[in-house]
Amino acid sequence: MNGIWGIIGAAITVLGVIVTGFFTYRGTRTAAAIQAAPAAKAQEFAVLEATVKRVDEENGALRGRLSRVESILRACSWTMDRWRRQMVDAGVDPDPPHPLVDEYNRTGV
């Protein structure tokens, strides 16, 4: 009878070692994944940061161009208005403005 208990005890010990090894393997892989996650997130953050910087630079350039176009449009509008007044003062009736120009003059948009 003691022999059977010894065999059962040995089998339980072997089973315990296998289960312990499995959980140790799983825990080691999980720990490695957890430790690798911040490095992956840091790399993604670096890519995102570079993209934001590039987009900010592009937006700055586009805003500069837009400001310049608005200035040119304003100057052209003033010049054409002055010419229209000169024509009216000289008794010449100017053609009506394009509908988009009329809308811009009414709304400013």
Side-chain angles (χ1 to χ4, degrees):
M1 193 83 158
N2 285 339
I4 292 176
W5 289 112
I7 292 173
I8 291 174
I12 290 174
T13 302
V14 169
L15 184 61
V17 167
I18 291 172
V19 169
T20 302
F22 172 73
F23 283 120
T24 301
Y25 170 75
R26 223 174 91 186
T28 302
R29 286 185 53 139
T30 302
I34 290 172
Q35 289 177 353
K41 293 288 183 189
Q43 184 178 11
E44 290 175 10
F45 182 71
V47 169
L48 179 63
E49 197 172 34
T51 302
V52 167
K53 182 180 177 186
R54 180 183 55 82
V55 168
D56 281 346
E57 290 172 359
E58 288 176 3
N59 282 345
L62 289 174
R63 284 187 181 131
R65 291 179 63 194
L66 179 62
S67 175
R68 179 70 180 144
V69 167
E70 287 174 345
S71 297
I72 291 172
L73 176 63
R74 194 175 306 113
C76 287
S77 176
W78 290 338
T79 302
M80 286 183 244
D81 184 56
R82 190 185 60 205
W83 290 344
R84 186 194 61 80
R85 277 188 273 125
Q86 288 174 352
M87 289 175 68
V88 169
D89 290 346
V92 178
D93 219 8
D95 291 336
H98 189 276
L100 290 176
V101 173
D102 188 44
E103 179 182 349
Y104 177 80
N105 287 335
R106 280 186 289 108
T107 63
V109 180

